[in-house]
C-alpha cells in the first residue's frame, strides 16, 4: 500500500552523487557471466497535442516530419525500431498520406519495427479527468486503430503525466493490456523502490481481494524521460550518448561534455562507458533484461537526427555484441519487445510465478520532481476550463444516448429518413475528439500557453454548440406523436436549449422563454440511468405563469426574481422553479402558459446591507431591506436547519432533524500567497508562503436571502466571490444536501490563490478521502513531515472527512485541488493567479483568469 510507503519514508533529500536523488550504484564485473545482460534501446518521440504551440502548429512544424521520416528511416534497416502513442496526431497524419505510405506503415507494424503504445487519442493527465473521458479518449484511439490499421495495442506508455492514478491501470487492464510503464513519481518513492528493487511490480486495485486487476507496471527510476536520465544513473555520461546533441547542433549538454560520433578509434571506450551505465541501471531491477528509452519531446523530426542516433547506436551494439566476454546483447526494441523478454526471463505466464514481482496498491499523487517542488498547483490551474470540460462531457453523453435512440426511430419510416444522421454522427465524433484532446496532460491540467488554452477552449465551446444541435434534432424526432408530421429544416430548429454561452471564456446565461396564452412546450431530459426527482429552473418573461406536467396536471412553481447585481430586480425576466420527476433516460414534456391569475408562489427577500437605503417597494416581490446584524439568518427544510452569520452571510452550523443534533459547520474563504524565495508558484507548482490568511473584508458584504416554497438561499456578495448556499425543499438527496456555488473573480490579484474552507467538529484525525477520476476513493493522510503543498490532492468529483458518527462530503462539479490541513476541515482551492513561470518549460505564469463558476454539493450524513 502506498500509504504504508509514505508512512516509512523520511522524505529527506540527501545528495546522492551523480544520481542526485538516488545513491551510488556499484556492481561486480562477473555478475553477468552466467546470464548476459539483455539491453533494449527503445527510440521514442514525445508529442504533446498542444503545449507551447497549438495542436495544429506542432503538427505542421514537427509531428508530420517525424512520422514521414519514420516511414523512410525504418525501411532502411530492419533492425531499427520506433513507437508512437498519440493517435490524435497519428490519425491527422494518416489522413494526409498516400496508400503506398500506408502500406509501408502496416508492413512495419507487422514486422515489429513500429509499435503503437497505449493508443489513446492523447496521453491523458491522470488527476483531473473523469473516468468517462479517459475511457472515451481510449476508445476513440483504439477504434481508429482497429478500423485503419487492424491493430490492438498491448502495452501502456505514460512518461509525462504529472503523477499516476490506479484508475488508468484498471482501464488498461480491462482493455486487455498486460503491461504498462510510468515515469513521473515522487523522487523519494523512486529512490525507495530502487533500493528495494520494486520498480517493477503488479499494480492491483485497492478493492481487489484476489489478483484479477493486476497489471505489470514498470516505473522508470530517474528524474526525467530524456536521454540524459534514461541510459543510467549519471546524466553527464548519458548525455554524451544523445547524438542529437553532437557539436554544431541546436541542443547541447548542460554538463559541458558533448557526445562524440562513434568511429573505429573510439568505439571500444564509448561502448564500455555506456555499458557501465546500463549495468548500473540494471542493478535497480530484478532481472537481466534492461529498458533504455531513447527520446525526448518532438524528437526525430529531421532526417539527420535519425542517422545520428540510429547509426551511432548500431556501431555501439555491433561492438558490444561481438565481444562475448562483455556478456551483453544490445539492440533496438519497442516497449513490447522489452516486456516480452522480461516476462520470459522472469517465467511469468507459468502458473506459480506471480510472486517474482511484488504487488502494490494505491496511487502516485502528489508528484514532486525535486526539493519541495510539489505539482499540486495544476490540480486547480485554469479552473474555468476544468469546469467547461465537465459541461461538454455531460452534453456528449446526453447527445450520444438521444442520437442512438433517434437513429432507431428514424429508420422506421420513409418520412423520417431526412433525419440528419450522418451530419450528427460527424458532430458527435468531432466532439468526442475535442473532449479527448482536452484530456491531454497539458490541456485539462491548465499548463499550456495562453493562446493554446484559447485553442482548446474554442474547440470545447464549438463542440458544446454542435452537441446542442444534435440533442435538439434527436429529441425532435423522439417526441413527435404523429411521426408522419416530421419535417427537418436546418435553418429553423424545432427546439431551443435554455442556456446560451456567448464565447469560449464566458459563463452561460439562461434564455428567456416568452409566454403567451398558447402553451409552449418545455422538454426536460434525464440522461442518467436512474430515476430523477430534481429541481429545474427556467427564465420566463412573465410571472403570471402556469405549468402543466407531462400528464397535464398543474405543477407547483416558485417564482424568484432575476437580479441586476446584488440589490436591483430586473423585470425583464423571472425565474420559475419546480420539481421535475423523470424516469431513467426519460424525456418529460411540460407545458408553459401565461394566465390571468397565477397559482405560482413568489419568493420573499431580505437584503442585508451596511446602510440600507429604503428604496420604493418592488411592484411585485416582497423585499425587506435591513442592516447587517449579529443575529443569525436561518433556513430550513424537513431534513435540516441552517444558521448563517448575519454579518458575513456564511454558514455557521447545521442541525440535522432526524437525530436533533447540532454540527458546527463554518464556511470561510482564505488566501494563499507564494514564497519570497526564487522559486515561486506557477501553473504546475504550489509553493505557498505558509498557511492561508483569512479572507478579510472591511465592510460586511451585501447579503441577499430568498425564502421560497421550492428552495431558499443565501447569497453573499464579496469583492472576489459571489457565494451562494441553496437549500432545496424536496425529498431525497437533493433536499439532504446543500448546493454551494462560488462565482470567483480574482483578475485583479497578484500571486494569490483563493480557497474555500469548511471547518466542522468532525474528529477526522488527519485522515480524509478523495476520489480518483470519479471512479474510486483513495484514503489520504495529512502528514506533518511533508510541506503544506504535498498534502494537497486532486479531487475529481468528491472529497470527504468522517468520524464514528458522521461523514461530510464535498461533491464537486469540476476538478480542483483539495486538502484537510486540520482536524475536521476540508478546503478546496478555487482559482490561482500567478505572475511568474515555475521553470517547468511553460515560460509564463497564470494570468488569464476568467470569472469562474465553482459548483459543489455539501452532504452531511449519519454513518
Amino acid at each position: 500500500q502506498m500509504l504504508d510507503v509514505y508512512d516509512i519514508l523520511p522524505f529527506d533529500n540527501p545528495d546522492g552523487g551523480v544520481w542526485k536523488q538516488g545513491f551510488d550504484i556499484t556492481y561486480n564485473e562477473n555478475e553477468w557471466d552466467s546470464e548476459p545482460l539483455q539491453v533494449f534501446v527503445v527510440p521514442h518521440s514525445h508529442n504533446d497535442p498542444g503545449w507551447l504551440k497549438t495542436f495544429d502548429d506542432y503538427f505542421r512544424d514537427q509531428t508530420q516530419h517525424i512520422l514521414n521520416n519514420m516511414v523512410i528511416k525504418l525501411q532502411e534497416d530492419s533492425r531499427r525500431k520506433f513507437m508512437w502513442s498519440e493517435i490524435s496526431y497519428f490519425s491527422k497524419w494518416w489522413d494526409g498520406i498516400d496508400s503506398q505510405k500506408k502500406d509501408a506503415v502496416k508492413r512495419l507494424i507487422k514486422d515489429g519495427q513500429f509499435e503503437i503504445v497505449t493508443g489513446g487519442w492523447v496521453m491523458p493527465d491522470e488527476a483531473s479527468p473523469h473516468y468517462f473521458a479517459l475511457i472515451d479518449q481510449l476508445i476513440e484511439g483504439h477504434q481508429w486503430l482497429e478500423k485503419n490499421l487492424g491493430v490492438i495495442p498491448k502495452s501502456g506508455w505514460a512518461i509525462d503525466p504529472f503523477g499516476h492514478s490506479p484508475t488508468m491501470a484498471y482501464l488498461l487492464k480491462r482493455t486487455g493490456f498486460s503491461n504498462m510503464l510510468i515515469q513521473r513519481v515522487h523522487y523519494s518513492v523512486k529512490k525507495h523502490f530502487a533500493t528495494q528493487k520494486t520498480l517493477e511490480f503488479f499494480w492491483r486495485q485497492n478493492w481487489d481481494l484476489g489478483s484479477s486487476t493486476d497489471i505489470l507496471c514498470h516505473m522508470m527510476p530517474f528524474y526525467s524521460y530524456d536521454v540524459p536520465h534514461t541510459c543510467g544513473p549519471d546524466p553527464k555520461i548519458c548525455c554524451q550518448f544523445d547524438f542529437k546533441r553532437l557539436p554544431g547542433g541546436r541542443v547541447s549538454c548542460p554538463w559541458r561534455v558533448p557526445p562524440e560520433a562513434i568511429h573505429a578509434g573510439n568505439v571500444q571506450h564509448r561502448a564500455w562507458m555506456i555499458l557501465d551505465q546500463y549495468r548500473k541501471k540494471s542493478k535497480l531491477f530484478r532481472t537481466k533484461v534492461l529498458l533504455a528509452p531513447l527520446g525526448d519531446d518532438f524528437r526525430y523530426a529531421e532526417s539527420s537526427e535519425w542517422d545520428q542516433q540510429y547509426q551511432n547506436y548500431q556501431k555501439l551494439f555491433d561492438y558490444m555484441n561481438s565481444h562475448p566476454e562483455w556478456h551483453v546483447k544490445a539492440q533496438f526494441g519497442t516497449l513490447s519487445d522489452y516486456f516480452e523478454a522480461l516476462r520470459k526471463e522472469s517465467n511469468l505466464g507459468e502458473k506459480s510465478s506471480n510472486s517474482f514481482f511484488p504487488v502494490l496498491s494505491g496511487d502516485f499523487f502528489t508528484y514532486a520532481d525535486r526539493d519541495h517542488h510539489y505539482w499540486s498547483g495544476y490540480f486547480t490551474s485554469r479552473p474555468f476550463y476544468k469546469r467547461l470540460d465537465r459541461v461538454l462531457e455531460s452534453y456528449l453523453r446526453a447527445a450520444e444516448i438521444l442520437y442512438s435512440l433517434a437513429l432507431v426511430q428514424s429508420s422506421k419510416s420513409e418520412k423520417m429518413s431526412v433525419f440528419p444522421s450522418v451530419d450528427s454522427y460527424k458532430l458527435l465524433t468531432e466532439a468526442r475528439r475535442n473532449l479527448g484532446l482536452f484530456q491531454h496532460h497539458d490541456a485539462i491540467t491548465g499548463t499550456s500557453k495562453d493562446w493554446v488554452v484559447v485553442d482548446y477552449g474554442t474547440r470545447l465551446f464549438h463542440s458544446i454548440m454542435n452537441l446542442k444541435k444534435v440533442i435538439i434534432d434527436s429529441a425532435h424526432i423522439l417526441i413527435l406523436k404523429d411521426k408522419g408530421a416530421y419535417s427537418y429544416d436546418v435553418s429553423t430548429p424545432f427546439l431551443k436549449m435554455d442556456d446560451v454561452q456567448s464565447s469560449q471564456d464566458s459563463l452561460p446565461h439562461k434564455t428567456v422563454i416568452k409566454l403567451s396564452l398558447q402553451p409552449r412546450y418545455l422538454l426536460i431530459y434525464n440522461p442518467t440511468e436512474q430515476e430523477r426527482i430534481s429541481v429545474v429552473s427556467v427564465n420566463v418573461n412573465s410571472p403570471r405563469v402556469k405549468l402543466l406536467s407531462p400528464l397535464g396536471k398543474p405543477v407547483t412553481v416558485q417564482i424568484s426574481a432575476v437580479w441586476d447585481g446584488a440589490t436591483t430586480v430586473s423585470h425583464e425576466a423571472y425565474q420559475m422553479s419546480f420539481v421535475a420527476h423523470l424516469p431513467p433516460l426519460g424525456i418529460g414534456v411540460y407545458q408553459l402558459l401565461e394566465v390571468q391569475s397565477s397559482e405560482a408562489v413568489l419568493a420573499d427577500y431580505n437584503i442585508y446591507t451596511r446602510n440600507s437605503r429604503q428604496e420604493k417597494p418592488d411592484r411585485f416581490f416582497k423585499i425587506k431591506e435591513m442592516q447587517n446584524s449579529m443575529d443569525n439568518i436561518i433556513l430550513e427544510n424537513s431534513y435540516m436547519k441552517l444558521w448563517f452569520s448575519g454579518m458575513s452571510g456564511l454558514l455557521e452550523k447545521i442541525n440535522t432533524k432526524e437525530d436533533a443534533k447540532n454540527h458546527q459547520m463554518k464556511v470561510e474563504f482564505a488566501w494563499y500567497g507564494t514564497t519570497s524565495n526564487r522559486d515561486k508558484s506557477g501553473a504546475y507548482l504550489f509553493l505557498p508562503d505558509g498557511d492561508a490568511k483569512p479572507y478579510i473584508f472591511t465592510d460586511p458584504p451585501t447579503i441577499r436571502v430568498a425564502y421560497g416554497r421550492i428552495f431558499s438561499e443565501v447569497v453573499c456578495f464579496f469583492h472576489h466571490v459571489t457565494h451562494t448556499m441553496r437549500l432545496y425543499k424536496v425529498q431525497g438527496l437533493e433536499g439532504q444536501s446543500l448546493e454551494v456555488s462560488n462565482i470567483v473573480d480574482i483578475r485583479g490579484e497578484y500571486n494569490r490563490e483563493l480557497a474555500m474552507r469548511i471547518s466542522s467538529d468532525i474528529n477526522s484525525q488527519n485522515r480524509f478521502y478523495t476520489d480518483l477520476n470519479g471512479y474510486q476513493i483513495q484514503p489520504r493522510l495529512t502528514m506533518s513531515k511533508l510541506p503544506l503543498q504535498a498534502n494537497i490532492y486532486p479531487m475529481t468529483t468528491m472529497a470527504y472527512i468522517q468520524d464514528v458518527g458522521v461523514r461530510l462530503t464535498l461533491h464537486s462539479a469540476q476538478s480542483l485541488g483539495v486538502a484537510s490541513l486540520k482536524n475536521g476541515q476540508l478546503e478546496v482551492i478555487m482559482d490561482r493567479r500567478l505572475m511568474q513561470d515555475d521553470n517547468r518549460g511553460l515560460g509564463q505564469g497564470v494570468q488569464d483568469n476568467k470569472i469562474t463558476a465553482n459548483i459543489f454539493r455539501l452532504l452531511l450524513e449519519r454513518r
Side-chain angles (χ1 to χ4, degrees):
Q1 267 292 349
M2 280 306 296
L3 272 172
D4 301 337
V5 174
Y6 264 56
D7 195 35
I8 56 180
L9 287 184
F11 290 99
D12 52 354
N13 187 16
D15 188 330
V18 292
W19 175 17
K20 276 272 166 286
Q21 298 165 321
F23 46 87
D24 276 329
I25 307 172
T26 54
Y27 62 86
N28 170 345
E29 301 258 324
N30 313 85
E31 284 186 49
W32 293 274
D33 289 4
S34 59
E35 196 185 348
L37 183 63
Q38 269 188 84
V39 181
F40 290 92
V41 171
V42 175
H44 66 98
S45 179
H46 180 67
N47 284 245
D48 290 307
W51 181 37
L52 308 177
K53 296 182 186 177
T54 61
F55 174 82
D56 289 329
D57 285 353
Y58 270 139
F59 180 79
R60 182 196 65 217
D61 299 345
Q62 281 131 300
T63 306
Q64 61 169 334
H65 307 300
I66 299 171
L67 289 164
N68 286 333
N69 279 316
M70 178 270 295
V71 182
I72 299 163
K73 291 296 176 182
L74 289 187
Q75 290 184 92
E76 288 178 6
D77 184 339
S78 61
R79 295 170 298 183
R80 294 179 178 178
K81 306 269 183 150
F82 197 63
M83 56 186 206
W84 193 264
S85 122
E86 302 81 11
I87 303 306
S88 49
Y89 276 132
F90 194 85
S91 63
K92 183 176 171 73
W93 173 68
W94 187 261
D95 290 344
I97 60 175
D98 59 30
S99 57
Q100 218 180 334
K101 239 184 194 162
K102 289 180 179 175
D103 291 341
V105 172
K106 289 177 181 169
R107 219 171 27 248
L108 289 167
I109 290 173
K110 190 168 87 43
D111 297 341
Q113 279 186 263
F114 179 55
E115 180 183 16
I116 301 285
V117 286
T118 312
W121 201 243
V122 296
M123 182 187 291
D125 173 49
E126 300 185 19
S128 302
H130 191 275
Y131 79 99
F132 277 29
L134 287 175
I135 291 172
D136 259 352
Q137 66 84 32
L138 200 59
I139 289 176
E140 197 55 37
H142 283 199
Q143 290 285 296
W144 188 92
L145 287 167
E146 186 172 49
K147 191 172 135 215
N148 292 282
L149 297 174
V151 157
I152 302 170
K154 50 178 190 281
S155 297
W157 172 258
I159 55 173
D160 203 24
F162 322 142
H164 293 281
S165 165
T167 305
M168 200 64 201
Y170 177 74
L171 295 178
L172 294 180
K173 173 72 175 187
R174 293 291 302 263
T175 308
F177 284 37
S178 341
N179 319 298
M180 61 180 293
L181 172 146
I182 61 178
Q183 147 64 19
R184 289 195 186 266
V185 171
H186 193 300
Y187 60 87
S188 292
V189 174
K190 285 189 178 229
K191 178 178 173 177
H192 174 72
F193 281 26
T195 56
Q196 308 291 306
K197 294 196 180 185
T198 55
L199 289 161
E200 289 176 324
F201 54 89
F202 281 103
W203 199 349
R204 179 178 297 174
Q205 298 303 314
N206 282 331
W207 69 81
D208 184 3
L209 300 173
S211 57
S212 65
T213 60
D214 289 12
I215 180 168
L216 183 60
C217 181
H218 172 103
M219 181 190 295
M220 290 168 56
F222 306 124
Y223 167 75
S224 162
Y225 55 79
D226 64 10
V227 185
H229 296 93
T230 45
C231 93
D234 189 343
K236 181 177 177 180
I237 290 176
C238 290
C239 195
Q240 299 172 50
F241 293 88
D242 181 356
F243 295 101
K244 185 185 167 73
R245 303 183 197 235
L246 281 164
R250 271 169 296 179
V251 247
S252 60
C253 284
W255 295 269
R256 299 215 184 92
V257 189
E260 292 173 21
I262 304 300
H263 51 79
N266 68 0
V267 64
Q268 178 181 4
H269 180 58
R270 304 307 279 185
W272 184 252
M273 274 172 74
I274 197 166
L275 176 60
D276 176 60
Q277 288 299 306
Y278 290 159
R279 285 175 169 181
K280 284 176 173 157
K281 183 176 180 180
S282 86
K283 290 290 287 176
L284 306 177
F285 296 90
R286 300 190 176 192
T287 72
K288 302 279 202 287
V289 185
L290 181 71
L291 175 70
L294 181 69
D296 204 338
D297 293 7
F298 294 98
R299 283 302 190 87
Y300 300 98
E302 291 112 16
S303 174
S304 58
E305 184 186 347
W306 285 81
D307 295 338
Q308 287 169 337
Q309 302 286 31
Y310 283 89
Q311 291 172 7
N312 282 300
Y313 267 95
Q314 195 58 58
K315 289 174 187 166
L316 291 166
F317 297 162
D318 290 345
Y319 188 86
M320 289 184 206
N321 296 344
S322 63
H323 286 266
E325 71 281 7
W326 284 18
H327 302 290
V328 60
K329 180 175 192 299
Q331 67 229 318
F332 293 118
T334 63
L335 187 59
S336 291
D337 291 338
Y338 170 73
F339 277 119
E340 271 163 38
L342 177 69
R343 284 172 169 275
K344 200 168 147 196
E345 166 92 7
S346 56
N347 295 322
L348 277 178
E350 292 170 24
K351 292 273 182 292
S352 61
S353 59
N354 267 23
S355 57
F356 187 81
F357 293 111
V359 173
L360 178 125
S361 297
D363 73 331
F364 296 103
F365 294 114
T366 294
Y367 171 59
D369 57 348
R370 52 185 157 91
D371 308 321
H372 278 158
H373 294 188
Y374 285 83
W375 296 42
S376 43
Y378 90 89
F379 299 155
T380 295
S381 296
R382 267 70 174 249
F384 180 90
Y385 296 99
K386 286 174 159 71
R387 172 77 195 121
L388 194 60
D389 162 80
R390 297 273 271 274
V391 173
L392 173 56
E393 213 165 318
S394 67
Y395 276 117
L396 177 60
R397 193 71 194 117
E400 286 175 343
I401 296 168
L402 281 174
Y403 172 79
S404 306
L405 298 171
L407 201 56
V408 173
Q409 194 60 255
S410 71
S411 60
K412 287 183 181 169
S413 84
E414 197 53 44
K415 183 87 179 148
M416 292 189 285
S417 60
V418 290
F419 174 67
S421 57
V422 175
D423 296 352
S424 295
Y425 189 86
K426 285 186 179 134
L427 295 179
L428 279 168
T429 302
E430 185 189 298
R432 199 181 295 121
R433 290 178 172 185
N434 282 335
L435 180 68
L437 185 71
F438 194 67
Q439 307 313 305
H440 162 55
H441 58 263
D442 294 301
I444 194 170
T445 54
T447 56
S448 289
K449 292 270 191 202
D450 286 356
W451 65 88
V452 180
V453 171
V454 171
D455 181 63
Y456 290 132
T458 305
R459 289 168 184 265
L460 297 177
F461 175 56
H462 281 301
S463 284
I464 286 173
M465 291 195 297
N466 288 336
L467 289 172
K468 285 181 175 176
K469 189 177 160 345
V470 174
I471 287 169
I472 286 168
D473 292 341
S474 301
H476 179 189
I477 204 168
L478 291 169
I479 57 163
L480 286 181
K481 267 219 171 72
D482 171 14
K483 304 296 186 193
Y486 178 69
S487 74
Y488 174 70
D489 176 356
V490 69
S491 58
T492 54
F494 184 68
L495 299 158
K496 292 192 190 65
M497 299 292 278
D498 84 318
D499 68 346
V500 186
Q501 191 177 334
S502 52
S503 66
Q504 60 90 19
D505 62 352
S506 57
L507 292 173
H509 55 266
K510 290 270 189 196
T511 48
V512 179
I513 301 169
K514 299 224 176 343
L515 301 179
S516 67
L517 302 173
Q518 280 315 100
R520 297 206 54 185
Y521 292 105
L522 174 65
L523 261 68
I524 301 169
Y525 171 53
N526 170 16
T528 67
E529 61 278 40
Q530 25 217 285
E531 177 183 46
R532 294 286 297 278
I533 300 172
S534 204
V535 174
V536 171
S537 298
V538 293
N539 284 4
V540 291
N541 68 334
S542 160
R544 293 187 297 281
V545 60
K546 182 171 190 175
L547 178 71
L548 300 175
S549 75
L551 297 172
K553 299 236 184 355
V555 179
T556 307
V557 299
Q558 168 178 330
I559 298 287
S560 317
V562 170
W563 298 81
D564 276 338
T567 56
T568 313
V569 175
S570 150
H571 284 283
E572 305 291 302
Y574 301 85
Q575 188 181 58
M576 177 193 86
S577 304
F578 62 97
V579 180
H581 186 172
L582 285 176
L585 305 182
I587 295 179
V589 182
Y590 288 75
Q591 292 177 63
L592 278 173
L593 58 166
E594 190 166 24
V595 287
Q596 280 322 104
S597 63
S598 168
E599 311 267 299
V601 188
L602 300 186
D604 296 335
Y605 294 93
N606 286 352
I607 295 182
Y608 297 78
T609 51
R610 196 164 110 253
N611 30 20
S612 58
R613 328 162 302 285
Q614 261 347 87
E615 293 189 17
K616 58 178 191 297
D618 187 77
R619 63 171 195 256
F620 200 76
F621 290 100
K622 208 168 93 193
I623 300 172
K624 223 163 97 184
E625 296 228 0
M626 46 231 293
Q627 292 207 357
N628 296 75
S629 80
M630 297 310 282
D631 295 341
N632 282 109
I633 298 163
I634 292 174
L635 301 185
E636 62 183 308
N637 68 7
S638 61
Y639 297 107
M640 56 186 153
K641 183 170 175 180
L642 313 170
W643 285 262
F644 297 82
S645 152
M647 291 307 287
S648 70
L650 298 173
L651 181 68
E652 294 193 330
K653 74 176 177 192
I654 297 182
N655 172 276
T656 43
K657 295 187 173 176
E658 178 190 27
D659 56 6
K661 279 202 169 120
N662 283 343
H663 304 271
Q664 183 199 316
M665 197 65 62
K666 229 169 127 55
V667 171
E668 51 201 338
F669 295 98
W671 288 114
Y672 282 100
T674 189
T675 57
S676 50
N677 302 344
R678 203 182 43 135
D679 294 315
K680 293 180 163 55
S681 299
Y684 303 88
L685 306 182
F686 181 39
L687 290 162
D689 58 354
D691 294 338
K693 317 263 184 308
Y695 181 93
I696 293 169
F697 40 94
T698 40
D699 302 333
T702 299
I703 305 165
R704 190 176 72 219
V705 186
Y707 298 97
R709 173 179 286 187
I710 306 278
F711 71 83
S712 297
E713 68 180 8
V714 178
V715 187
C716 321
F717 295 87
F718 296 100
H719 182 49
H720 301 90
V721 57
T722 301
H723 168 74
T724 305
M725 210 158 244
R726 181 180 285 195
L727 181 65
Y728 288 105
K729 302 187 174 176
V730 298
Q731 293 307 300
L733 269 181
E734 195 143 335
Q736 290 160 25
S737 62
L738 282 165
E739 191 171 85
V740 184
S741 133
N742 293 316
I743 308 296
V744 174
D745 182 2
I746 59 166
R747 290 175 299 179
E749 293 308 299
Y750 185 95
N751 275 335
R752 291 178 99 180
E753 317 201 10
L754 184 63
M756 176 176 72
R757 181 177 284 172
I758 300 158
S759 307
S760 73
D761 44 19
I762 293 170
N763 181 20
S764 55
Q765 303 185 349
N766 293 330
R767 270 189 180 279
F768 69 115
Y769 301 80
T770 63
D771 74 318
L772 289 164
N773 318 100
Y775 186 68
Q776 58 179 313
I777 296 292
Q778 176 64 45
R780 306 287 182 198
L781 254 162
T782 299
M783 296 191 166
S784 53
K785 65 180 172 184
L786 293 172
L788 189 157
Q789 60 267 30
N791 284 307
I792 297 199
Y793 289 95
M795 162 181 65
T796 311
T797 66
M798 69 165 100
Y800 61 85
I801 51 173
Q802 61 188 22
D803 59 19
V804 290
V806 292
R807 172 184 293 180
L808 175 71
T809 310
L810 183 70
H811 292 269
S812 181
Q814 58 285 310
S815 297
L816 296 166
V818 66
S820 174
L821 299 174
K822 289 202 172 77
N823 199 24
Q825 262 184 16
L826 266 182
E827 73 174 72
V828 52
I829 299 190
M830 295 186 302
D831 200 2
R832 44 205 318 260
R833 182 171 175 87
L834 302 156
M835 313 314 284
Q836 62 282 312
D837 181 50
D838 51 5
N839 301 307
R840 291 306 182 277
L842 180 57
Q844 62 157 79
V846 182
Q847 298 172 44
D848 57 351
N849 305 71
K850 320 284 175 210
I851 297 175
T852 298
N854 283 289
I855 305 160
F856 309 97
R857 280 275 173 86
L858 197 57
L859 176 65
L860 181 66
E861 9 178 31
R862 278 169 68 181
R863 288 195 64 194

